[in-house]
Coordinates of all heavy atoms in Angstrom, one line a residue:
M1 N -25.1 -33.9 25.5 CA -24.8 -33.6 26.8 C -25.1 -34.9 27.6 O -26.1 -35.6 27.4 CB -25.7 -32.5 27.3 CG -24.9 -31.5 28.2 SD -26.1 -30.3 28.8 CE -25.5 -28.9 27.9
S2 N -24.2 -35.1 28.5 CA -24.3 -36.3 29.3 C -25.4 -36.1 30.4 O -25.4 -35.0 31.0 CB -23.0 -36.7 30.0 OG -23.1 -37.7 30.9
I3 N -26.1 -37.0 30.7 CA -27.2 -36.9 31.8 C -26.5 -37.0 33.1 O -26.9 -36.3 34.1 CB -28.1 -38.1 31.6 CG1 -28.9 -38.0 30.3 CG2 -29.1 -38.1 32.8 CD1 -29.8 -39.2 30.0
F4 N -25.3 -37.7 33.2 CA -24.7 -37.9 34.5 C -23.9 -36.7 35.0 O -23.9 -36.4 36.1 CB -23.8 -39.1 34.5 CG -24.6 -40.4 34.1 CD1 -24.4 -40.9 32.8 CD2 -25.5 -40.9 35.0 CE1 -25.2 -42.1 32.5 CE2 -26.2 -42.0 34.7 CZ -26.1 -42.6 33.4
N5 N -23.2 -36.0 34.0 CA -22.4 -34.8 34.4 C -22.5 -33.7 33.4 O -21.6 -33.5 32.7 CB -21.0 -35.3 34.6 CG -20.1 -34.3 35.3 OD1 -20.6 -33.2 35.7 ND2 -18.9 -34.6 35.5
P6 N -23.6 -33.0 33.4 CA -23.8 -32.0 32.4 C -22.8 -30.8 32.6 O -22.5 -30.2 31.6 CB -25.2 -31.5 32.5 CG -25.6 -31.9 33.9 CD -24.8 -33.1 34.2
W7 N -22.5 -30.5 33.8 CA -21.6 -29.4 34.0 C -20.2 -29.6 33.5 O -19.5 -28.6 33.1 CB -21.6 -29.0 35.5 CG -23.0 -28.5 36.0 CD1 -23.8 -29.2 36.8 CD2 -23.6 -27.4 35.6 NE1 -25.0 -28.5 37.0 CE2 -24.9 -27.3 36.2 CE3 -23.3 -26.3 34.8 CZ2 -25.8 -26.3 36.1 CZ3 -24.2 -25.3 34.6 CH2 -25.4 -25.3 35.3
A8 N -19.8 -30.7 33.5 CA -18.4 -31.0 33.0 C -18.4 -30.7 31.5 O -17.4 -30.2 31.0 CB -18.0 -32.5 33.2
E9 N -19.4 -31.1 30.8 CA -19.5 -30.8 29.4 C -19.6 -29.3 29.1 O -19.1 -28.8 28.1 CB -20.7 -31.6 28.7 CG -20.4 -33.1 28.6 CD -21.4 -33.8 27.7 OE1 -21.8 -33.2 26.7 OE2 -21.7 -34.9 28.0
V10 N -20.4 -28.6 29.9 CA -20.5 -27.2 29.8 C -19.2 -26.5 30.0 O -18.8 -25.6 29.2 CB -21.5 -26.6 30.8 CG1 -21.5 -25.1 30.8 CG2 -23.0 -27.1 30.4
R11 N -18.4 -27.0 31.0 CA -17.1 -26.4 31.2 C -16.1 -26.7 30.1 O -15.4 -25.9 29.6 CB -16.5 -27.0 32.5 CG -17.0 -26.3 33.8 CD -16.3 -26.7 35.0 NE -16.3 -28.2 35.3 CZ -17.2 -28.8 36.0 NH1 -18.2 -28.1 36.6 NH2 -17.2 -30.1 36.2
K12 N -16.2 -28.0 29.5 CA -15.4 -28.3 28.4 C -15.8 -27.5 27.2 O -14.8 -26.9 26.5 CB -15.7 -29.8 28.0 CG -14.9 -30.3 26.9 CD -15.3 -31.8 26.6 CE -14.9 -32.2 25.2 NZ -15.4 -33.5 24.8
L13 N -17.0 -27.3 26.9 CA -17.4 -26.4 25.7 C -17.0 -25.0 25.9 O -16.6 -24.3 25.0 CB -18.9 -26.5 25.5 CG -19.4 -27.9 25.0 CD1 -21.0 -27.9 25.0 CD2 -18.9 -28.1 23.6
K14 N -17.1 -24.5 27.2 CA -16.7 -23.1 27.5 C -15.2 -23.0 27.2 O -14.7 -22.0 26.8 CB -17.1 -22.8 28.9 CG -17.0 -21.3 29.2 CD -17.5 -21.1 30.6 CE -17.4 -19.6 31.0 NZ -17.9 -19.3 32.3
A15 N -14.4 -24.0 27.7 CA -13.0 -23.9 27.5 C -12.6 -24.0 26.0 O -11.7 -23.2 25.6 CB -12.3 -25.1 28.2
Q16 N -13.4 -24.8 25.2 CA -13.1 -24.8 23.8 C -13.5 -23.4 23.2 O -12.7 -22.9 22.3 CB -14.0 -25.8 23.1 CG -13.5 -27.3 23.3 CD -14.5 -28.3 22.7 OE1 -15.6 -27.9 22.3 NE2 -14.0 -29.5 22.7
L17 N -14.5 -22.8 23.6 CA -14.9 -21.5 23.1 C -13.8 -20.4 23.4 O -13.5 -19.6 22.6 CB -16.3 -21.1 23.7 CG -16.8 -19.8 23.2 CD1 -17.1 -19.8 21.7 CD2 -18.1 -19.4 23.9
E18 N -13.3 -20.5 24.6 CA -12.3 -19.5 25.0 C -11.0 -19.7 24.3 O -10.4 -18.8 23.9 CB -12.1 -19.6 26.6 CG -13.2 -19.0 27.4 CD -13.0 -19.3 28.8 OE1 -12.0 -19.8 29.3 OE2 -14.0 -18.9 29.6
A19 N -10.6 -21.0 24.1 CA -9.4 -21.3 23.3 C -9.6 -20.8 21.8 O -8.7 -20.3 21.2 CB -9.1 -22.8 23.3
G20 N -10.8 -21.1 21.3 CA -11.0 -20.6 19.9 C -11.0 -19.1 19.8 O -10.4 -18.5 18.9
Y21 N -11.5 -18.4 20.8 CA -11.5 -16.9 20.8 C -10.1 -16.4 21.0 O -9.7 -15.5 20.3 CB -12.4 -16.3 21.9 CG -12.3 -14.9 22.0 CD1 -12.9 -14.1 21.1 CD2 -11.5 -14.2 23.0 CE1 -12.8 -12.7 21.0 CE2 -11.4 -12.9 23.0 CZ -12.1 -12.1 22.1 OH -12.0 -10.7 22.1
E22 N -9.3 -17.1 21.8 CA -7.8 -16.7 22.0 C -7.1 -16.9 20.7 O -6.3 -16.0 20.3 CB -7.2 -17.5 23.1 CG -5.8 -17.1 23.4 CD -5.6 -15.7 23.9 OE1 -6.6 -15.1 24.4 OE2 -4.5 -15.1 23.8
T23 N -7.3 -17.9 20.0 CA -6.7 -18.2 18.7 C -7.1 -17.1 17.7 O -6.3 -16.6 17.0 CB -7.1 -19.6 18.1 OG1 -6.7 -20.6 19.0 CG2 -6.4 -19.8 16.8
Y24 N -8.4 -16.8 17.7 CA -8.9 -15.7 16.8 C -8.2 -14.4 17.1 O -7.8 -13.7 16.2 CB -10.4 -15.6 16.9 CG -11.0 -14.3 16.4 CD1 -11.1 -14.2 15.0 CD2 -11.3 -13.3 17.2 CE1 -11.6 -13.0 14.4 CE2 -11.8 -12.1 16.7 CZ -12.0 -12.0 15.3 OH -12.4 -10.8 14.8
R25 N -8.1 -14.1 18.4 CA -7.5 -12.8 18.8 C -6.1 -12.7 18.4 O -5.6 -11.7 17.9 CB -7.6 -12.7 20.3 CG -7.3 -11.2 20.8 CD -7.4 -11.2 22.3 NE -6.4 -12.0 23.0 CZ -5.1 -11.7 23.0 NH1 -4.6 -10.6 22.4 NH2 -4.3 -12.5 23.6
V26 N -5.3 -13.8 18.6 CA -3.9 -13.8 18.1 C -3.8 -13.7 16.6 O -3.0 -12.9 16.1 CB -3.2 -15.1 18.6 CG1 -1.8 -15.3 18.0 CG2 -3.1 -15.2 20.1
E27 N -4.6 -14.4 15.9 CA -4.5 -14.3 14.4 C -4.9 -12.9 14.0 O -4.4 -12.3 13.0 CB -5.5 -15.4 13.8 CG -4.9 -16.8 13.9 CD -5.9 -17.8 13.4 OE1 -7.0 -17.4 13.0 OE2 -5.5 -19.0 13.3
E28 N -5.9 -12.3 14.6 CA -6.4 -11.0 14.2 C -5.3 -9.9 14.5 O -5.0 -9.0 13.7 CB -7.7 -10.6 15.0 CG -8.2 -9.3 14.7 CD -8.9 -9.2 13.3 OE1 -9.2 -10.2 12.7 OE2 -9.0 -8.1 12.9
T29 N -4.6 -10.1 15.6 CA -3.5 -9.2 16.0 C -2.4 -9.3 14.9 O -1.8 -8.3 14.5 CB -2.9 -9.5 17.3 OG1 -4.0 -9.4 18.3 CG2 -1.8 -8.6 17.8
Q30 N -2.0 -10.5 14.5 CA -1.0 -10.7 13.5 C -1.4 -10.1 12.2 O -0.6 -9.5 11.5 CB -0.7 -12.2 13.3 CG 0.0 -12.9 14.5 CD 0.1 -14.4 14.4 OE1 -0.5 -15.0 13.5 NE2 0.9 -15.0 15.2
Q31 N -2.7 -10.3 11.8 CA -3.1 -9.8 10.6 C -3.1 -8.2 10.6 O -2.7 -7.6 9.6 CB -4.6 -10.2 10.3 CG -5.1 -9.9 8.9 CD -6.5 -10.3 8.7 OE1 -7.3 -10.5 9.6 NE2 -6.8 -10.6 7.4
Q32 N -3.5 -7.6 11.7 CA -3.4 -6.2 11.8 C -2.0 -5.7 11.7 O -1.8 -4.7 11.0 CB -4.1 -5.7 13.1 CG -5.5 -5.9 13.2 CD -6.3 -5.1 12.2 OE1 -5.9 -4.0 11.9 NE2 -7.4 -5.6 11.8
A33 N -1.1 -6.4 12.3 CA 0.3 -6.0 12.2 C 0.8 -6.1 10.7 O 1.6 -5.2 10.2 CB 1.2 -6.9 13.1
E34 N 0.4 -7.2 10.0 CA 0.8 -7.3 8.6 C 0.2 -6.2 7.8 O 0.8 -5.7 6.9 CB 0.3 -8.7 8.1 CG 1.1 -9.9 8.6 CD 0.6 -11.2 8.2 OE1 -0.4 -11.2 7.3 OE2 1.0 -12.2 8.7
W35 N -1.1 -5.9 8.0 CA -1.7 -4.8 7.3 C -1.0 -3.4 7.5 O -0.9 -2.6 6.6 CB -3.2 -4.7 7.6 CG -4.0 -5.6 6.9 CD1 -4.6 -6.8 7.4 CD2 -4.4 -5.6 5.5 NE1 -5.3 -7.4 6.3 CE2 -5.1 -6.7 5.2 CE3 -4.1 -4.7 4.4 CZ2 -5.7 -7.0 3.9 CZ3 -4.6 -5.0 3.2 CH2 -5.4 -6.1 2.9
A36 N -0.6 -3.2 8.8 CA 0.1 -2.0 9.1 C 1.5 -1.9 8.3 O 1.8 -0.9 7.7 CB 0.4 -1.9 10.6
K37 N 2.2 -3.0 8.2 CA 3.5 -3.1 7.5 C 3.2 -2.8 6.0 O 3.9 -2.0 5.4 CB 4.2 -4.4 7.6 CG 4.8 -4.7 9.0 CD 5.3 -6.1 9.0 CE 5.8 -6.4 10.4 NZ 6.3 -7.9 10.4
K38 N 2.1 -3.4 5.5 CA 1.8 -3.2 4.0 C 1.4 -1.8 3.8 O 1.7 -1.3 2.7 CB 0.7 -4.2 3.6 CG 1.1 -5.6 3.5 CD 0.0 -6.5 3.2 CE 0.5 -8.0 3.1 NZ -0.6 -8.9 2.8
D39 N 0.7 -1.2 4.7 CA 0.3 0.3 4.6 C 1.5 1.2 4.5 O 1.6 2.1 3.7 CB -0.6 0.6 5.7 CG -1.3 2.0 5.5 OD1 -1.7 2.3 4.4 OD2 -1.2 2.8 6.5
I40 N 2.5 0.9 5.4 CA 3.7 1.7 5.4 C 4.4 1.5 4.1 O 4.9 2.5 3.5 CB 4.6 1.2 6.6 CG1 4.0 1.7 7.9 CG2 6.0 1.8 6.5 CD1 4.6 1.1 9.1
L41 N 4.5 0.3 3.6 CA 5.2 0.0 2.3 C 4.5 0.7 1.2 O 5.1 1.3 0.3 CB 5.3 -1.5 2.0 CG 6.3 -2.2 2.9 CD1 6.2 -3.7 2.6 CD2 7.7 -1.8 2.6
L42 N 3.1 0.7 1.2 CA 2.3 1.3 0.1 C 2.5 2.8 0.1 O 2.7 3.4 -0.9 CB 0.9 0.9 0.4 CG -0.1 1.4 -0.7 CD1 0.3 0.7 -2.1 CD2 -1.5 1.0 -0.4
K43 N 2.5 3.4 1.3 CA 2.8 4.8 1.4 C 4.2 5.2 0.8 O 4.4 6.2 0.2 CB 2.6 5.4 2.8 CG 1.1 5.4 3.2 CD 1.0 5.9 4.6 CE -0.5 5.8 5.0 NZ -0.7 6.2 6.4
A44 N 5.2 4.4 1.2 CA 6.5 4.6 0.7 C 6.6 4.5 -0.8 O 7.3 5.3 -1.5 CB 7.5 3.7 1.4
L45 N 5.9 3.5 -1.3 CA 5.9 3.3 -2.8 C 5.2 4.5 -3.4 O 5.6 5.0 -4.5 CB 5.2 2.0 -3.2 CG 6.0 0.8 -2.9 CD1 5.2 -0.5 -3.2 CD2 7.2 0.7 -3.8
G46 N 4.2 5.0 -2.8 CA 3.4 6.1 -3.4 C 4.4 7.4 -3.4 O 4.3 8.1 -4.4
R47 N 5.1 7.6 -2.4 CA 6.1 8.7 -2.4 C 7.1 8.6 -3.5 O 7.5 9.5 -4.2 CB 6.7 8.8 -1.0 CG 5.8 9.4 0.1 CD 6.6 9.8 1.3 NE 7.3 8.6 1.9 CZ 6.8 7.8 2.8 NH1 5.5 8.0 3.3 NH2 7.4 6.8 3.3
E48 N 7.7 7.3 -3.6 CA 8.7 7.1 -4.6 C 8.1 7.3 -6.0 O 8.7 7.8 -6.9 CB 9.2 5.6 -4.5 CG 10.1 5.5 -3.3 CD 11.4 6.3 -3.4 OE1 11.9 6.4 -4.5 OE2 11.8 6.9 -2.4
N49 N 6.8 6.8 -6.2 CA 6.1 7.0 -7.5 C 6.0 8.5 -7.8 O 6.2 8.9 -8.9 CB 4.8 6.3 -7.4 CG 4.1 6.2 -8.8 OD1 4.8 6.3 -9.8 ND2 2.8 6.0 -8.8
E50 N 5.6 9.3 -6.8 CA 5.4 10.7 -7.1 C 6.7 11.4 -7.4 O 6.8 12.2 -8.3 CB 4.8 11.3 -5.8 CG 4.4 12.7 -6.0 CD 3.4 13.0 -7.1 OE1 2.5 12.2 -7.3 OE2 3.5 14.0 -7.8
K51 N 7.8 10.9 -6.7 CA 9.1 11.5 -7.0 C 9.5 11.1 -8.4 O 10.0 12.0 -9.2 CB 10.1 11.0 -6.0 CG 11.5 11.6 -6.2 CD 12.6 10.9 -5.4 CE 12.4 10.9 -4.0 NZ 13.5 10.2 -3.3
L52 N 9.3 9.9 -8.8 CA 9.6 9.5 -10.2 C 8.8 10.2 -11.2 O 9.3 10.6 -12.3 CB 9.4 7.9 -10.3 CG 9.7 7.3 -11.6 CD1 11.2 7.5 -12.0 CD2 9.4 5.8 -11.6
R53 N 7.6 10.4 -11.0 CA 6.7 11.2 -11.9 C 7.2 12.6 -12.1 O 7.2 13.1 -13.2 CB 5.2 11.2 -11.4 CG 4.5 9.9 -11.7 CD 3.1 10.0 -11.2 NE 2.5 8.7 -11.2 CZ 1.5 8.4 -12.0 NH1 1.1 9.3 -12.9 NH2 1.0 7.2 -11.9
R54 N 7.6 13.3 -11.0 CA 8.2 14.6 -11.1 C 9.4 14.6 -11.9 O 9.6 15.5 -12.7 CB 8.4 15.2 -9.7 CG 7.2 15.7 -9.0 CD 7.5 16.6 -7.8 NE 8.4 15.9 -6.8 CZ 7.9 15.2 -5.8 NH1 6.6 15.1 -5.6 NH2 8.7 14.6 -5.0
T55 N 10.3 13.7 -11.7 CA 11.5 13.5 -12.4 C 11.3 13.4 -13.9 O 11.9 14.0 -14.7 CB 12.4 12.4 -11.9 OG1 12.6 12.6 -10.5 CG2 13.7 12.3 -12.6
I56 N 10.4 12.5 -14.2 CA 10.0 12.2 -15.6 C 9.5 13.5 -16.2 O 9.8 13.8 -17.4 CB 9.1 11.0 -15.7 CG1 9.8 9.7 -15.4 CG2 8.5 10.9 -17.1 CD1 8.9 8.5 -15.3
T57 N 8.6 14.2 -15.5 CA 8.0 15.4 -16.1 C 9.1 16.4 -16.4 O 9.1 17.1 -17.4 CB 7.0 16.0 -15.1 OG1 6.0 15.0 -14.8 CG2 6.3 17.2 -15.6
E58 N 10.0 16.6 -15.4 CA 11.1 17.6 -15.6 C 12.0 17.1 -16.8 O 12.4 18.0 -17.6 CB 12.0 17.6 -14.3 CG 11.3 18.3 -13.2 CD 12.1 18.2 -11.9 OE1 13.3 17.7 -11.9 OE2 11.6 18.6 -10.8
L59 N 12.2 15.9 -16.9 CA 13.0 15.4 -18.0 C 12.3 15.7 -19.4 O 12.9 16.1 -20.4 CB 13.4 13.9 -17.9 CG 14.4 13.6 -16.8 CD1 14.6 12.1 -16.7 CD2 15.8 14.2 -17.1
N60 N 11.0 15.4 -19.4 CA 10.2 15.7 -20.6 C 10.3 17.2 -20.9 O 10.4 17.6 -22.1 CB 8.8 15.2 -20.4 CG 8.7 13.7 -20.6 OD1 9.6 13.1 -21.2 ND2 7.6 13.2 -20.1
E61 N 10.2 18.0 -19.9 CA 10.3 19.5 -20.2 C 11.6 19.9 -20.7 O 11.7 20.7 -21.7 CB 9.9 20.2 -18.9 CG 8.4 20.2 -18.5 CD 8.2 20.8 -17.1 OE1 9.1 21.2 -16.5 OE2 7.0 20.7 -16.7
Q62 N 12.7 19.3 -20.1 CA 14.0 19.6 -20.6 C 14.2 19.2 -22.0 O 14.8 19.9 -22.9 CB 15.0 19.1 -19.7 CG 15.1 19.7 -18.3 CD 16.1 18.9 -17.4 OE1 16.7 17.9 -17.8 NE2 16.3 19.4 -16.2
L63 N 13.7 18.0 -22.3 CA 13.8 17.4 -23.7 C 13.0 18.3 -24.7 O 13.5 18.6 -25.8 CB 13.3 16.0 -23.7 CG 13.4 15.3 -25.0 CD1 14.8 15.1 -25.5 CD2 12.7 13.9 -25.0
A64 N 11.9 18.7 -24.3 CA 11.1 19.6 -25.2 C 11.8 20.9 -25.4 O 11.8 21.4 -26.5 CB 9.7 19.8 -24.5
K65 N 12.4 21.4 -24.4 CA 13.1 22.7 -24.6 C 14.4 22.5 -25.5 O 14.7 23.4 -26.3 CB 13.6 23.3 -23.2 CG 12.4 23.9 -22.4 CD 12.9 24.4 -21.1 CE 11.7 24.9 -20.2 NZ 12.2 25.3 -18.9
A66 N 15.0 21.4 -25.3 CA 16.2 21.1 -26.1 C 15.9 20.8 -27.6 O 16.7 21.2 -28.4 CB 16.9 19.9 -25.5
A67 N 14.7 20.3 -27.8 CA 14.4 19.9 -29.2 C 13.5 21.0 -29.9 O 13.1 20.8 -31.0 CB 13.6 18.6 -29.1
D68 N 13.2 22.1 -29.1 CA 12.4 23.1 -29.7 C 13.1 23.9 -30.7 O 14.1 24.6 -30.4 CB 11.9 24.0 -28.6 CG 10.7 24.9 -29.0 OD1 10.3 24.7 -30.2 OD2 10.3 25.8 -28.3
P69 N 12.7 23.9 -32.0 CA 13.5 24.6 -33.1 C 13.1 26.1 -33.2 O 13.3 26.7 -34.2 CB 13.1 23.8 -34.3 CG 11.7 23.4 -34.0 CD 11.7 23.1 -32.6
R70 N 12.6 26.7 -32.1 CA 12.2 28.1 -32.1 C 13.3 29.0 -31.6 O 14.0 28.6 -30.7 CB 10.9 28.2 -31.3 CG 9.7 27.5 -31.8 CD 8.6 27.6 -30.9 NE 7.6 26.6 -31.1 CZ 6.3 26.9 -31.2 NH1 5.8 28.1 -31.0 NH2 5.5 25.9 -31.4
D71 N 13.2 30.2 -32.1 CA 14.1 31.2 -31.6 C 13.6 31.6 -30.3 O 12.4 32.1 -30.2 CB 14.2 32.3 -32.6 CG 15.2 33.4 -32.2 OD1 15.8 33.2 -31.1 OD2 15.3 34.4 -32.9
P72 N 14.3 31.6 -29.2 CA 13.8 32.0 -27.9 C 13.3 33.4 -27.8 O 12.5 33.8 -27.0 CB 14.9 31.7 -26.9 CG 16.1 31.4 -27.7 CD 15.7 31.1 -29.1
K73 N 13.9 34.3 -28.6 CA 13.6 35.7 -28.5 C 12.3 36.0 -29.3 O 11.4 36.7 -28.8 CB 14.8 36.6 -29.1 CG 16.0 36.5 -28.2 CD 17.1 37.4 -28.8 CE 18.3 37.2 -28.0 NZ 19.5 37.9 -28.6
T74 N 12.2 35.5 -30.5 CA 11.1 35.8 -31.4 C 10.0 34.7 -31.3 O 8.8 35.0 -31.6 CB 11.5 36.0 -32.8 OG1 12.1 34.7 -33.3 CG2 12.6 37.0 -33.0
G75 N 10.3 33.5 -31.0 CA 9.3 32.5 -31.0 C 9.1 31.8 -32.4 O 8.3 31.0 -32.5
R76 N 9.8 32.3 -33.4 CA 9.7 31.8 -34.7 C 10.5 30.5 -34.9 O 11.5 30.4 -34.2 CB 10.2 32.8 -35.8 CG 9.3 34.1 -35.8 CD 9.8 35.0 -36.9 NE 9.0 36.2 -36.9 CZ 9.3 37.3 -37.6 NH1 10.4 37.3 -38.3 NH2 8.5 38.3 -37.5
F77 N 10.1 29.7 -35.8 CA 10.8 28.5 -36.1 C 12.1 28.8 -36.8 O 12.2 29.7 -37.7 CB 10.0 27.5 -37.0 CG 8.9 26.8 -36.2 CD1 7.6 27.2 -36.3 CD2 9.3 25.8 -35.3 CE1 6.6 26.6 -35.6 CE2 8.3 25.1 -34.6 CZ 6.9 25.5 -34.8
T78 N 13.2 28.2 -36.4 CA 14.5 28.4 -37.1 C 14.7 27.3 -38.1 O 14.1 26.3 -38.1 CB 15.6 28.4 -36.0 OG1 15.6 27.1 -35.4 CG2 15.5 29.5 -35.1
K79 N 15.7 27.6 -39.0 CA 16.0 26.6 -40.0 C 16.7 25.5 -39.4 O 17.5 25.6 -38.4 CB 16.8 27.2 -41.1 CG 16.0 28.2 -41.9 CD 16.9 28.7 -43.0 CE 16.2 29.8 -43.9 NZ 17.0 30.4 -44.9
R80 N 16.6 24.3 -39.9 CA 17.3 23.1 -39.4 C 18.8 23.2 -39.8 O 19.1 23.6 -40.9 CB 16.8 21.8 -39.9 CG 15.5 21.4 -39.3 CD 15.1 20.0 -39.7 NE 14.2 19.5 -38.9 CZ 13.8 18.2 -38.8 NH1 14.3 17.4 -39.7 NH2 12.9 17.8 -38.0
R81 N 19.6 22.9 -38.9 CA 21.0 22.9 -39.2 C 21.4 21.6 -39.8 O 20.9 20.5 -39.3 CB 21.8 23.1 -37.9 CG 21.6 24.5 -37.3 CD 22.4 24.6 -36.0 NE 22.0 25.9 -35.4 CZ 22.0 26.1 -34.1 NH1 22.5 25.2 -33.3 NH2 21.6 27.3 -33.7
K82 N 22.2 21.6 -40.8 CA 22.6 20.4 -41.5 C 24.0 20.0 -41.2 O 24.8 20.7 -40.7 CB 22.5 20.5 -43.0 CG 21.0 20.5 -43.4 CD 20.9 20.6 -44.9 CE 19.4 20.7 -45.2 NZ 19.2 20.7 -46.6

């Protein structure tokens, strides 16, 4: 601090602090916006993943029914067809 004009240095430091805070605030706002976008994408991917899992489960069930060599009425195994 200068002995001759200490208030000028205080004002200068205060301006630097305010500029730094403004930069921080802008960066924080941008980061929050990016996180919001990523959250929306993550939720959409989660919904798509759930839909895909249901589809795969249904396909597996259909495949199991199609490959089941049991008689639907009795539940007994049938002979393989050649």
